[in-house]
Amino acid sequence: MGRMVALIRQGFTEDCGQEELVQCTRPLQVLSATSELSFVTKKEELDKLCPDLHTGLHCIRSYTRRCMNIHQRDHFNKLYHGTNEVIHDLCEEGPYQEGTIVYVFI
């Protein structure tokens, strides 16, 4: 988290404060809260969760484009790559989603 704060401070402009990025990441916090994910045992529940996850990712992309230079954005995207992959795998129809919901989240 310290690296992200440093990137935010370096890319800071009038409308690009740390709190804006923190707001963007709130929908993604469910990914690190194991107890929250334990309630997602059906595809229908995941379908309700995914729009919020996508909204968070969209907000982060918008923030990094507006508030970071290309070098900072590239570094930040490397830090968030795993998060993007998890959300993509969870929220896209396919073998990962169909076969893992019950095993991962129980």
Side-chain angles (χ1 to χ4, degrees):
M1 187 74 164
R3 284 182 158 178
M4 285 189 282
V5 172
L7 286 172
I8 294 164
R9 286 185 184 145
Q10 290 173 358
F12 184 78
T13 63
E14 287 181 30
D15 60 343
C16 294
Q18 181 178 349
E19 183 57 33
E20 186 176 354
L21 183 59
V22 170
Q23 290 283 22
C24 289
T25 63
R26 286 213 169 98
L28 308 183
Q29 290 175 357
V30 68
L31 296 175
S32 62
T34 308
S35 62
E36 294 278 335
L37 281 177
S38 65
F39 295 114
V40 180
T41 59
K42 297 179 183 173
K43 185 179 178 315
E44 295 80 20
E45 294 166 337
L46 193 57
D47 289 341
K48 291 178 186 175
L49 177 65
C50 285
D52 290 338
L53 296 176
H54 284 296
T55 298
L57 288 180
H58 176 75
C59 182
I60 290 169
R61 274 192 302 272
S62 173
Y63 177 90
T64 58
R65 286 182 183 140
R66 287 183 292 107
C67 302
M68 295 181 183
N69 65 42
I70 188 70
H71 175 72
Q72 293 165 331
R73 191 166 49 244
D74 286 345
H75 185 69
F76 186 88
N77 287 338
K78 287 177 186 173
L79 294 173
Y80 257 89
H81 178 76
T83 302
N84 285 317
E85 289 294 312
V86 167
I87 291 170
H88 176 76
D89 288 343
L90 287 175
C91 296
E92 295 296 319
E93 299 265 343
Y96 183 86
Q97 188 186 65
E98 302 279 323
T100 350
I101 292 175
V102 172
Y103 300 109
V104 171
F105 301 117
I106 290 183

XYZ file of all heavy atoms in Angstrom:
857
model
N 0.827 -1.192 0.000
C 0.000 0.000 0.000
C 0.870 1.254 0.000
O 0.478 2.261 -0.544
C -0.925 -0.041 1.218
C -1.929 1.064 1.232
S -3.196 0.752 0.014
C -4.419 1.860 0.547
N 2.050 1.179 0.614
C 2.928 2.329 0.657
C 3.346 2.811 -0.718
O 3.440 4.003 -0.963
N 3.569 1.873 -1.645
C 3.934 2.255 -3.010
C 2.800 3.015 -3.681
O 3.024 3.953 -4.413
C 4.268 1.033 -3.841
C 5.593 0.451 -3.539
C 5.829 -0.707 -4.450
N 7.250 -0.957 -4.534
C 7.776 -1.928 -5.217
N 7.003 -2.750 -5.878
N 9.060 -2.096 -5.248
N 1.569 2.560 -3.453
C 0.433 3.239 -4.072
C 0.299 4.651 -3.531
O 0.038 5.579 -4.282
C -0.860 2.456 -3.834
C -0.957 1.222 -4.704
S -2.552 0.453 -4.638
C -2.434 -0.397 -3.083
N 0.492 4.830 -2.239
C 0.409 6.165 -1.650
C 1.473 7.065 -2.245
O 1.210 8.214 -2.576
C 0.531 6.094 -0.108
C 0.641 7.473 0.497
C -0.666 5.350 0.475
N 2.689 6.524 -2.432
C 3.761 7.314 -3.031
C 3.402 7.709 -4.459
O 3.630 8.840 -4.869
C 5.068 6.527 -3.011
N 2.821 6.787 -5.212
C 2.412 7.110 -6.582
C 1.337 8.177 -6.587
O 1.325 9.063 -7.431
C 1.884 5.857 -7.293
C 2.918 4.849 -7.723
C 2.227 3.588 -8.239
C 3.818 5.427 -8.790
N 0.425 8.086 -5.651
C -0.657 9.065 -5.579
C -0.091 10.445 -5.257
O -0.448 11.429 -5.877
C -1.697 8.648 -4.517
C -2.391 7.366 -4.979
C -2.707 9.752 -4.273
C -3.137 6.663 -3.880
N 0.812 10.500 -4.313
C 1.395 11.791 -3.928
C 2.174 12.397 -5.090
O 2.123 13.589 -5.323
C 2.299 11.617 -2.714
C 1.525 11.407 -1.455
C 2.428 11.357 -0.258
N 1.632 11.053 0.925
C 2.047 10.326 1.926
N 3.268 9.835 1.933
N 1.260 10.087 2.954
N 2.899 11.564 -5.836
C 3.679 12.069 -6.963
C 2.774 12.577 -8.074
O 3.107 13.507 -8.773
C 4.591 10.979 -7.507
C 5.721 10.636 -6.580
C 6.494 9.422 -7.083
O 6.160 8.822 -8.091
N 7.526 9.055 -6.342
N 1.617 11.934 -8.254
C 0.722 12.304 -9.333
C -0.358 13.274 -8.885
O -1.295 13.533 -9.613
N -0.241 13.819 -7.701
C -1.277 14.659 -7.120
C -1.486 15.955 -7.906
O -0.549 16.637 -8.268
C -0.896 15.011 -5.673
C -1.945 15.804 -4.947
C -3.060 15.188 -4.441
C -1.806 17.169 -4.807
C -4.026 15.917 -3.773
C -2.772 17.913 -4.147
C -3.877 17.281 -3.627
N -2.726 16.235 -8.215
C -3.121 17.519 -8.775
C -4.325 17.987 -7.975
O -4.776 17.310 -7.065
C -3.494 17.415 -10.272
O -4.634 16.568 -10.399
C -2.345 16.879 -11.106
N -4.869 19.135 -8.327
C -5.969 19.703 -7.545
C -7.138 18.738 -7.359
O -7.712 18.662 -6.292
C -6.467 20.990 -8.204
C -5.515 22.145 -8.045
C -6.055 23.396 -8.683
O -7.279 23.567 -8.736
O -5.246 24.207 -9.130
N -7.530 18.025 -8.402
C -8.685 17.148 -8.308
C -8.310 15.676 -8.214
O -9.121 14.804 -8.491
C -9.621 17.372 -9.501
C -8.940 17.100 -10.832
O -7.702 17.058 -10.854
O -9.650 16.935 -11.821
N -7.093 15.361 -7.827
C -6.618 13.981 -7.789
C -6.083 13.611 -6.413
O -4.945 13.164 -6.281
C -5.536 13.787 -8.842
S -6.135 13.945 -10.518
N -6.894 13.758 -5.427
C -6.460 13.429 -4.079
C -6.535 11.945 -3.794
O -7.187 11.179 -4.504
N -5.875 11.534 -2.744
C -5.840 10.136 -2.329
C -7.239 9.626 -2.000
O -7.565 8.473 -2.297
C -4.918 9.983 -1.123
C -4.809 8.560 -0.635
C -3.845 8.430 0.528
O -3.105 9.345 0.843
N -3.858 7.285 1.170
N -8.080 10.454 -1.426
C -9.427 10.017 -1.041
C -10.245 9.565 -2.249
O -11.039 8.630 -2.155
C -10.151 11.134 -0.284
C -11.528 10.733 0.222
C -11.537 9.508 1.134
O -10.575 9.293 1.894
O -12.541 8.760 1.083
N -10.043 10.199 -3.391
C -10.775 9.789 -4.597
C -10.411 8.358 -4.988
O -11.286 7.546 -5.319
C -10.482 10.738 -5.755
C -11.323 10.446 -6.973
C -11.121 11.442 -8.094
O -10.405 12.440 -7.909
O -11.683 11.216 -9.173
N -9.134 8.015 -4.933
C -8.714 6.656 -5.253
C -9.229 5.667 -4.204
O -9.672 4.568 -4.544
C -7.194 6.572 -5.376
C -6.645 5.204 -5.773
C -7.207 4.759 -7.127
C -5.133 5.242 -5.809
N -9.192 6.068 -2.960
C -9.715 5.208 -1.895
C -11.197 4.900 -2.144
O -11.641 3.760 -1.992
C -9.498 5.848 -0.505
C -10.249 5.096 0.579
C -8.002 5.902 -0.189
N -11.954 5.904 -2.562
C -13.373 5.693 -2.888
C -13.517 4.680 -4.023
O -14.420 3.853 -4.011
C -14.043 7.013 -3.293
C -14.217 7.977 -2.160
C -15.378 7.609 -1.245
O -15.824 6.477 -1.165
N -15.877 8.602 -0.548
N -12.653 4.774 -5.015
C -12.705 3.843 -6.149
C -12.472 2.403 -5.699
O -13.047 1.470 -6.275
C -11.640 4.193 -7.185
S -11.937 5.708 -8.112
N -11.613 2.206 -4.717
C -11.254 0.844 -4.302
C -12.249 0.225 -3.330
O -12.194 -0.983 -3.097
C -9.855 0.816 -3.663
O -9.847 1.608 -2.480
C -8.793 1.288 -4.634
N -13.162 0.996 -2.794
C -14.109 0.439 -1.816
C -14.886 -0.769 -2.337
O -15.016 -1.754 -1.623
C -15.041 1.533 -1.309
C -14.317 2.452 -0.358
C -15.202 3.014 0.740
N -14.355 3.665 1.725
C -14.125 4.961 1.776
N -14.712 5.774 0.924
N -13.331 5.463 2.696
N -15.419 -0.734 -3.570
C -16.144 -1.924 -4.040
C -15.255 -3.168 -4.155
O -15.744 -4.283 -4.109
C -16.652 -1.513 -5.428
C -16.629 -0.038 -5.448
C -15.520 0.376 -4.528
N -13.944 -2.971 -4.278
C -13.026 -4.097 -4.441
C -12.635 -4.729 -3.115
O -12.057 -5.812 -3.084
C -11.764 -3.650 -5.183
C -11.967 -2.911 -6.500
C -10.632 -2.601 -7.137
C -12.858 -3.686 -7.445
N -12.939 -4.075 -2.008
C -12.536 -4.578 -0.702
C -13.172 -5.927 -0.379
O -12.655 -6.682 0.428
C -12.836 -3.555 0.382
C -11.934 -2.351 0.288
C -12.284 -1.254 1.272
O -13.256 -1.350 2.017
N -11.509 -0.193 1.261
N -14.274 -6.240 -1.037
C -14.913 -7.530 -0.817
C -13.976 -8.676 -1.204
O -14.061 -9.764 -0.653
C -16.261 -7.623 -1.570
C -16.051 -7.660 -3.065
C -17.065 -8.817 -1.116
N -13.046 -8.426 -2.124
C -12.106 -9.462 -2.548
C -11.119 -9.831 -1.456
O -10.604 -10.940 -1.433
C -11.328 -9.016 -3.792
C -12.154 -8.808 -5.047
C -11.280 -8.257 -6.159
C -12.834 -10.091 -5.474
N -10.848 -8.926 -0.546
C -9.908 -9.227 0.521
C -10.610 -9.559 1.832
O -9.974 -9.933 2.796
C -8.943 -8.052 0.739
O -9.660 -6.907 1.140
N -11.917 -9.456 1.853
C -12.694 -9.783 3.052
C -13.276 -11.182 2.881
O -14.353 -11.360 2.343
C -13.801 -8.754 3.276
N -12.551 -12.174 3.332
C -12.934 -13.567 3.120
C -14.347 -13.855 3.610
O -15.103 -14.564 2.964
C -11.944 -14.508 3.833
O -10.629 -14.156 3.433
C -12.225 -15.950 3.491
N -14.735 -13.272 4.715
C -16.070 -13.544 5.240
C -17.147 -13.042 4.286
O -18.199 -13.651 4.150
C -16.244 -12.906 6.620
O -16.106 -11.506 6.524
N -16.888 -11.934 3.595
C -17.855 -11.416 2.624
C -18.010 -12.396 1.468
O -19.103 -12.688 1.036
C -17.387 -10.066 2.072
C -17.353 -8.958 3.091
C -18.711 -8.315 3.321
O -19.551 -8.373 2.410
O -18.904 -7.774 4.400
N -16.900 -12.904 0.949
C -16.962 -13.794 -0.195
C -17.569 -15.135 0.153
O -18.074 -15.823 -0.713
C -15.565 -13.996 -0.786
C -15.064 -12.874 -1.667
C -13.638 -13.164 -2.119
C -15.952 -12.661 -2.870
N -17.552 -15.516 1.406
C -18.120 -16.808 1.765
C -19.622 -16.845 1.514
O -20.208 -17.918 1.436
C -17.810 -17.141 3.231
O -18.458 -16.218 4.080
N -20.252 -15.688 1.364
C -21.678 -15.649 1.078
C -21.973 -15.861 -0.403
O -23.101 -16.082 -0.781
C -22.293 -14.305 1.519
C -22.240 -14.110 3.004
C -21.460 -13.123 3.552
C -22.967 -14.929 3.845
C -21.402 -12.941 4.917
C -22.916 -14.766 5.218
C -22.137 -13.767 5.763
N -20.964 -15.774 -1.251
C -21.159 -15.924 -2.685
C -20.972 -17.397 -3.029
O -19.873 -17.867 -3.242
C -20.161 -15.054 -3.488
C -20.388 -15.228 -4.979
C -20.309 -13.604 -3.094
N -22.077 -18.118 -3.048
C -22.024 -19.543 -3.345
C -22.810 -19.892 -4.597
O -22.787 -21.027 -5.031
C -22.560 -20.368 -2.162
O -23.898 -19.969 -1.902
C -21.684 -20.182 -0.938
N -23.497 -18.921 -5.168
C -24.286 -19.163 -6.366
C -23.928 -18.144 -7.430
O -23.552 -17.019 -7.129
C -25.779 -19.039 -6.059
C -26.279 -20.053 -5.061
C -27.758 -19.859 -4.798
C -28.222 -20.843 -3.746
N -29.603 -20.590 -3.351
N -24.082 -18.542 -8.662
C -23.790 -17.654 -9.779
C -24.644 -16.389 -9.715
O -24.174 -15.295 -10.014
C -23.998 -18.372 -11.104
C -23.588 -17.536 -12.298
C -23.776 -18.286 -13.579
C -23.422 -17.464 -14.782
N -23.925 -16.113 -14.797
N -25.880 -16.516 -9.278
C -26.771 -15.353 -9.186
C -26.220 -14.309 -8.216
O -26.339 -13.112 -8.446
C -28.179 -15.780 -8.748
C -28.897 -16.660 -9.736
C -28.468 -18.130 -9.670
O -27.909 -18.568 -8.635
O -28.664 -18.823 -10.684
N -25.621 -14.758 -7.122
C -25.040 -13.832 -6.150
C -23.809 -13.143 -6.739
O -23.582 -11.957 -6.512
C -24.682 -14.572 -4.866
C -25.906 -15.090 -4.140
C -25.567 -16.097 -3.063
O -24.490 -16.729 -3.129
O -26.386 -16.247 -2.152
N -23.036 -13.905 -7.495
C -21.873 -13.325 -8.153
C -22.311 -12.306 -9.199
O -21.686 -11.257 -9.341
C -21.038 -14.435 -8.791
C -19.647 -14.068 -9.259
C -18.815 -13.504 -8.112
C -18.964 -15.285 -9.865
N -23.411 -12.591 -9.889
C -23.935 -11.647 -10.876
C -24.345 -10.326 -10.233
O -24.283 -9.278 -10.872
C -25.135 -12.252 -11.618
C -24.730 -13.365 -12.565
O -23.535 -13.445 -12.919
O -25.612 -14.166 -12.951
N -24.740 -10.365 -8.980
C -25.084 -9.127 -8.264
C -23.828 -8.374 -7.821
O -23.818 -7.154 -7.745
C -25.947 -9.438 -7.038
C -27.327 -9.918 -7.379
C -28.103 -10.253 -6.119
C -29.447 -10.870 -6.455
N -30.156 -11.303 -5.248
N -22.772 -9.105 -7.501
C -21.530 -8.512 -7.005
C -20.684 -7.906 -8.127
O -20.062 -6.855 -7.954
C -20.719 -9.586 -6.269
C -19.351 -9.211 -5.730
C -19.484 -8.154 -4.638
C -18.646 -10.446 -5.206
N -20.664 -8.543 -9.282
C -19.759 -8.149 -10.365
C -19.956 -6.717 -10.871
O -18.954 -6.052 -11.155
C -19.841 -9.147 -11.505
S -18.979 -10.691 -11.088
N -21.177 -6.206 -10.999
C -21.288 -4.813 -11.448
C -20.556 -3.829 -10.535
O -19.929 -2.886 -11.018
C -22.794 -4.553 -11.456
C -23.395 -5.905 -11.688
C -22.491 -6.858 -10.939
N -20.594 -4.062 -9.228
C -19.860 -3.191 -8.297
C -18.354 -3.325 -8.494
O -17.619 -2.334 -8.444
C -20.217 -3.523 -6.849
C -21.628 -3.119 -6.485
O -22.204 -2.242 -7.168
O -22.168 -3.681 -5.513
N -17.890 -4.546 -8.723
C -16.459 -4.755 -8.955
C -16.016 -4.050 -10.233
O -14.974 -3.392 -10.258
C -16.145 -6.248 -9.034
C -16.391 -7.061 -7.763
C -16.132 -8.532 -8.018
C -15.545 -6.549 -6.612
N -16.827 -4.160 -11.278
C -16.498 -3.488 -12.543
C -16.535 -1.966 -12.386
O -15.704 -1.259 -12.970
C -17.449 -3.932 -13.660
C -17.142 -5.300 -14.183
N -15.971 -5.609 -14.826
C -17.861 -6.445 -14.145
C -15.975 -6.881 -15.171
N -17.112 -7.414 -14.767
N -17.468 -1.464 -11.608
C -17.532 -0.021 -11.352
C -16.255 0.453 -10.662
O -15.696 1.490 -11.017
C -18.769 0.324 -10.495
O -19.936 -0.036 -11.225
C -18.804 1.789 -10.130
N -15.783 -0.314 -9.688
C -14.540 0.033 -9.006
C -13.353 0.054 -9.953
O -12.537 0.979 -9.921
N -13.258 -0.954 -10.822
C -12.156 -0.990 -11.790
C -12.233 0.176 -12.761
O -11.207 0.786 -13.092
C -12.167 -2.305 -12.570
C -11.741 -3.550 -11.806
C -11.806 -4.767 -12.729
C -10.353 -3.392 -11.220
N -13.425 0.493 -13.222
C -13.598 1.626 -14.136
C -13.172 2.937 -13.462
O -12.493 3.771 -14.069
C -15.049 1.713 -14.611
C -15.308 2.897 -15.477
N -14.885 2.956 -16.790
C -15.915 4.077 -15.219
C -15.235 4.127 -17.296
N -15.859 4.831 -16.364
N -13.553 3.107 -12.224
C -13.189 4.303 -11.462
C -11.668 4.409 -11.323
O -11.089 5.474 -11.518
C -13.870 4.243 -10.095
S -13.584 5.670 -9.043
N -11.015 3.290 -11.024
C -9.556 3.286 -10.888
C -8.890 3.632 -12.209
O -7.953 4.434 -12.254
C -9.058 1.921 -10.359
C -9.481 1.752 -8.896
C -7.545 1.793 -10.507
C -9.290 0.355 -8.360
N -9.377 3.039 -13.317
C -8.807 3.364 -14.633
C -8.955 4.844 -14.940
O -8.033 5.492 -15.431
C -9.480 2.524 -15.728
C -8.859 1.174 -15.925
C -9.347 0.495 -17.189
N -10.788 0.318 -17.217
C -11.436 -0.716 -16.722
N -10.766 -1.687 -16.127
N -12.742 -0.813 -16.804
N -10.122 5.386 -14.651
C -10.366 6.810 -14.895
C -9.424 7.669 -14.054
O -8.821 8.624 -14.548
C -11.826 7.145 -14.577
O -12.048 8.521 -14.656
N -9.279 7.326 -12.797
C -8.406 8.072 -11.889
C -6.958 8.047 -12.396
O -6.303 9.088 -12.463
C -8.473 7.477 -10.480
C -7.549 8.157 -9.510
C -7.973 9.243 -8.757
C -6.237 7.718 -9.342
C -7.119 9.884 -7.867
C -5.382 8.345 -8.456
C -5.823 9.425 -7.729
O -4.977 10.059 -6.858
N -6.466 6.854 -12.758
C -5.068 6.771 -13.171
C -4.821 7.528 -14.472
O -3.756 8.122 -14.642
C -4.594 5.305 -13.306
O -5.405 4.619 -14.253
C -4.638 4.601 -11.963
N -5.789 7.532 -15.373
C -5.628 8.286 -16.629
C -5.601 9.788 -16.388
O -4.862 10.509 -17.039
C -6.749 7.931 -17.596
C -6.579 6.562 -18.197
C -7.670 6.250 -19.182
N -7.501 4.895 -19.665
C -8.499 4.055 -19.880
N -9.742 4.433 -19.674
N -8.262 2.838 -20.325
N -6.409 10.245 -15.465
C -6.480 11.679 -15.186
C -5.357 12.165 -14.293
O -4.916 13.303 -14.413
C -7.813 12.031 -14.496
C -9.018 11.990 -15.374
C -10.288 12.418 -14.616
N -10.659 11.450 -13.585
C -10.518 11.651 -12.269
N -10.048 12.774 -11.802
N -10.878 10.715 -11.409
N -4.911 11.311 -13.390
C -4.083 11.795 -12.285
C -2.635 11.300 -12.273
O -1.859 11.724 -11.423
C -4.743 11.410 -10.964
S -6.423 12.060 -10.785
N -2.279 10.410 -13.173
C -0.918 9.878 -13.172
C -0.311 10.028 -14.561
O -1.017 9.923 -15.566
C -0.925 8.401 -12.780
C -1.373 8.140 -11.372
S -1.315 6.369 -11.027
C -1.970 6.368 -9.366
N 1.002 10.241 -14.573
C 1.683 10.239 -15.866
C 1.846 8.786 -16.324
O 1.552 7.852 -15.570
C 3.013 11.000 -15.804
C 4.038 10.338 -14.901
O 4.202 9.114 -14.885
N 4.759 11.150 -14.136
N 2.323 8.580 -17.531
C 2.387 7.240 -18.119
C 3.260 6.294 -17.294
O 2.913 5.130 -17.097
C 2.834 7.284 -19.603
C 2.698 5.914 -20.259
C 4.256 7.808 -19.726
C 1.269 5.494 -20.473
N 4.373 6.773 -16.780
C 5.255 5.930 -15.964
C 4.554 5.507 -14.677
O 4.596 4.329 -14.302
C 6.562 6.680 -15.660
C 7.467 5.930 -14.741
N 8.149 4.803 -15.137
C 7.779 6.140 -13.431
C 8.849 4.345 -14.099
N 8.649 5.140 -13.070
N 3.921 6.452 -14.003
C 3.204 6.139 -12.765
C 2.053 5.179 -13.040
O 1.823 4.233 -12.284
C 2.659 7.420 -12.136
C 3.736 8.353 -11.636
C 3.199 9.740 -11.353
O 2.238 10.190 -11.983
N 3.825 10.433 -10.418
N 1.333 5.413 -14.129
C 0.194 4.568 -14.491
C 0.655 3.144 -14.797
O 0.034 2.175 -14.341
C -0.531 5.178 -15.685
C -1.856 4.547 -15.968
C -2.713 5.356 -16.910
N -2.052 5.811 -18.113
C -1.838 7.091 -18.418
N -2.232 8.061 -17.616
N -1.250 7.417 -19.546
N 1.742 3.000 -15.531
C 2.263 1.662 -15.827
C 2.637 0.918 -14.547
O 2.312 -0.260 -14.384
C 3.496 1.741 -16.739
C 3.146 2.079 -18.174
O 1.951 1.983 -18.552
O 4.072 2.443 -18.926
N 3.300 1.598 -13.640
C 3.688 0.976 -12.373
C 2.450 0.601 -11.558
O 2.358 -0.506 -11.022
C 4.598 1.927 -11.588
C 5.141 1.312 -10.343
N 6.070 0.293 -10.363
C 4.871 1.552 -9.040
C 6.351 -0.054 -9.122
N 5.637 0.690 -8.304
N 1.505 1.519 -11.475
C 0.276 1.267 -10.729
C -0.473 0.073 -11.328
O -0.963 -0.791 -10.600
C -0.614 2.512 -10.746
C -1.835 2.391 -9.893
C -1.792 2.741 -8.555
C -3.032 1.920 -10.428
C -2.922 2.629 -7.762
C -4.162 1.807 -9.647
C -4.104 2.158 -8.305
N -0.555 0.011 -12.656
C -1.263 -1.084 -13.317
C -0.603 -2.426 -13.039
O -1.296 -3.447 -12.944
C -1.376 -0.826 -14.816
C -2.380 0.265 -15.123
O -3.271 0.566 -14.334
N -2.225 0.891 -16.285
N 0.706 -2.450 -12.894
C 1.393 -3.690 -12.529
C 0.979 -4.133 -11.133
O 0.803 -5.319 -10.886
C 2.908 -3.510 -12.604
C 3.424 -3.448 -14.020
C 4.914 -3.200 -14.050
C 5.375 -2.984 -15.484
N 6.779 -2.586 -15.550
N 0.823 -3.174 -10.225
C 0.403 -3.506 -8.858
C -1.018 -4.055 -8.825
O -1.334 -4.924 -8.017
C 0.494 -2.271 -7.955
C 1.883 -1.711 -7.696
C 1.795 -0.399 -6.931
C 2.733 -2.715 -6.944
N -1.893 -3.554 -9.686
C -3.296 -3.951 -9.694
C -3.612 -5.057 -10.696
O -4.765 -5.464 -10.823
C -4.195 -2.735 -9.976
C -4.851 -2.210 -8.730
C -4.219 -1.256 -7.948
C -6.085 -2.684 -8.328
C -4.806 -0.789 -6.796
C -6.682 -2.215 -7.169
C -6.031 -1.266 -6.410
O -6.606 -0.813 -5.256
N -2.622 -5.557 -11.401
C -2.860 -6.558 -12.435
C -3.577 -7.797 -11.882
O -4.542 -8.286 -12.479
C -1.550 -6.957 -13.115
C -1.724 -8.003 -14.156
N -2.258 -7.722 -15.398
C -1.472 -9.342 -14.134
C -2.326 -8.837 -16.100
N -1.858 -9.829 -15.365
N -3.124 -8.307 -10.761
C -3.735 -9.498 -10.167
C -5.198 -9.272 -9.811
O -6.043 -10.141 -10.030
N -5.502 -8.101 -9.278
C -6.880 -7.757 -8.936
C -7.750 -7.753 -10.185
O -8.854 -8.301 -10.190
C -6.939 -6.387 -8.240
O -6.122 -6.431 -7.069
C -8.356 -6.016 -7.856
N -7.244 -7.145 -11.246
C -7.981 -7.127 -12.516
C -8.245 -8.538 -13.021
O -9.354 -8.840 -13.492
C -7.206 -6.342 -13.583
C -7.281 -4.863 -13.374
O -8.332 -4.323 -13.077
N -6.154 -4.194 -13.530
N -7.249 -9.400 -12.931
C -7.393 -10.775 -13.403
C -8.442 -11.539 -12.598
O -9.257 -12.256 -13.159
C -6.045 -11.503 -13.341
C -5.050 -11.030 -14.365
C -5.486 -11.354 -15.778
O -5.886 -12.501 -16.040
O -5.447 -10.434 -16.616
N -8.404 -11.396 -11.283
C -9.378 -12.088 -10.429
C -10.791 -11.651 -10.777
O -11.693 -12.477 -10.933
C -9.074 -11.842 -8.927
C -10.245 -12.279 -8.049
C -7.805 -12.559 -8.521
N -10.989 -10.357 -10.915
C -12.334 -9.847 -11.237
C -12.766 -10.334 -12.610
O -13.914 -10.759 -12.788
C -12.369 -8.311 -11.129
C -12.222 -7.915 -9.656
C -13.667 -7.750 -11.714
C -12.006 -6.449 -9.414
N -11.864 -10.304 -13.571
C -12.198 -10.801 -14.907
C -12.611 -12.275 -14.837
O -13.642 -12.674 -15.392
C -11.013 -10.616 -15.859
C -11.249 -11.185 -17.214
N -12.038 -10.567 -18.149
C -10.829 -12.345 -17.775
C -12.095 -11.310 -19.233
N -11.358 -12.399 -19.033
N -11.825 -13.090 -14.141
C -12.134 -14.521 -14.046
C -13.451 -14.776 -13.321
O -14.239 -15.637 -13.722
C -11.008 -15.267 -13.340
C -9.748 -15.392 -14.190
O -9.836 -15.188 -15.422
O -8.688 -15.685 -13.625
N -13.700 -14.037 -12.258
C -14.924 -14.238 -11.489
C -16.171 -13.779 -12.232
O -17.243 -14.374 -12.090
C -14.853 -13.481 -10.156
C -13.951 -14.038 -9.083
C -13.922 -13.091 -7.894
C -14.412 -15.420 -8.659
N -16.036 -12.722 -13.000
C -17.222 -12.063 -13.549
C -17.513 -12.384 -15.010
O -18.537 -11.946 -15.533
C -17.094 -10.549 -13.353
S -17.061 -10.078 -11.612
N -16.643 -13.112 -15.663
C -16.888 -13.488 -17.055
C -17.403 -14.922 -17.102
O -16.892 -15.790 -16.399
C -15.606 -13.365 -17.883
C -15.091 -11.949 -18.009
C -16.040 -11.020 -18.748
O -16.631 -11.434 -19.758
O -16.195 -9.870 -18.280
N -18.400 -15.144 -17.936
C -18.913 -16.500 -18.130
C -17.778 -17.379 -18.621
O -16.975 -16.969 -19.459
C -20.028 -16.493 -19.177
C -21.216 -15.652 -18.808
C -22.323 -16.460 -18.162
O -22.315 -17.689 -18.280
O -23.185 -15.832 -17.544
N -17.705 -18.581 -18.097
C -16.675 -19.487 -18.565
C -16.369 -20.561 -17.555
O -16.996 -20.641 -16.496
N -15.376 -21.368 -17.866
C -15.061 -22.519 -17.011
C -14.644 -22.130 -15.599
O -15.003 -22.808 -14.645
C -13.918 -23.228 -17.734
C -13.553 -22.406 -18.902
C -14.550 -21.293 -19.035
N -13.908 -21.047 -15.451
C -13.474 -20.645 -14.110
C -14.684 -20.308 -13.251
O -14.828 -20.779 -12.135
C -12.529 -19.446 -14.196
C -11.987 -19.014 -12.860
C -10.854 -19.611 -12.340
C -12.610 -18.021 -12.112
C -10.348 -19.233 -11.114
C -12.109 -17.645 -10.883
C -10.984 -18.253 -10.390
O -10.504 -17.877 -9.168
N -15.576 -19.505 -13.783
C -16.762 -19.085 -13.031
C -17.667 -20.268 -12.745
O -18.123 -20.448 -11.623
C -17.522 -18.022 -13.827
C -18.649 -17.400 -13.024
C -19.483 -16.469 -13.858
O -20.136 -16.919 -14.793
N -19.460 -15.208 -13.522
N -17.915 -21.071 -13.702
C -18.833 -22.190 -13.546
C -18.293 -23.234 -12.577
O -19.032 -23.794 -11.797
C -19.088 -22.849 -14.905
C -19.644 -21.907 -15.947
C -21.131 -21.685 -15.810
O -21.840 -22.639 -15.465
O -21.567 -20.555 -16.066
N -16.995 -23.495 -12.624
C -16.448 -24.592 -11.845
C -15.904 -24.250 -10.491
O -15.641 -25.132 -9.690
N -15.719 -22.998 -10.178
C -15.013 -22.666 -8.945
C -15.846 -21.977 -7.889
O -15.415 -21.919 -6.751
C -13.820 -21.729 -9.227
O -13.594 -21.620 -10.594
C -12.604 -22.208 -8.539
N -16.977 -21.465 -8.211
C -17.732 -20.682 -7.220
C -17.929 -21.485 -5.947
O -17.612 -21.018 -4.867
C -19.072 -20.227 -7.797
C -18.844 -19.201 -8.894
C -19.956 -19.630 -6.703
C -20.090 -18.779 -9.623
N -18.396 -22.694 -6.054
C -18.676 -23.482 -4.871
C -17.411 -23.788 -4.097
O -17.370 -23.680 -2.889
C -19.393 -24.791 -5.275
C -19.528 -25.716 -4.074
C -20.768 -24.479 -5.834
N -16.314 -24.123 -4.787
C -15.091 -24.530 -4.112
C -14.329 -23.364 -3.499
O -13.771 -23.487 -2.437
C -14.180 -25.273 -5.086
C -14.828 -26.502 -5.634
C -15.242 -26.558 -6.954
C -15.053 -27.598 -4.817
C -15.857 -27.701 -7.446
C -15.680 -28.737 -5.294
C -16.079 -28.770 -6.614
O -16.698 -29.877 -7.095
N -14.305 -22.223 -4.158
C -13.520 -21.091 -3.670
C -14.206 -20.394 -2.521
O -13.570 -19.943 -1.589
C -13.261 -20.089 -4.822
C -12.653 -18.815 -4.298
C -12.341 -20.712 -5.848
N -15.510 -20.276 -2.574
C -16.185 -19.400 -1.650
C -16.905 -20.075 -0.496
O -17.590 -19.433 0.263
C -17.179 -18.518 -2.420
C -16.482 -17.696 -3.464
C -16.759 -17.865 -4.790
C -15.518 -16.784 -3.099
C -16.111 -17.113 -5.746
C -14.857 -16.029 -4.046
C -15.157 -16.196 -5.362
N -16.764 -21.365 -0.345
C -17.418 -22.032 0.798
C -16.429 -22.187 1.910
O -15.315 -22.462 1.761
C -18.031 -23.377 0.368
C -19.212 -23.105 -0.523
C -18.396 -24.202 1.563
C -19.956 -24.317 -0.970
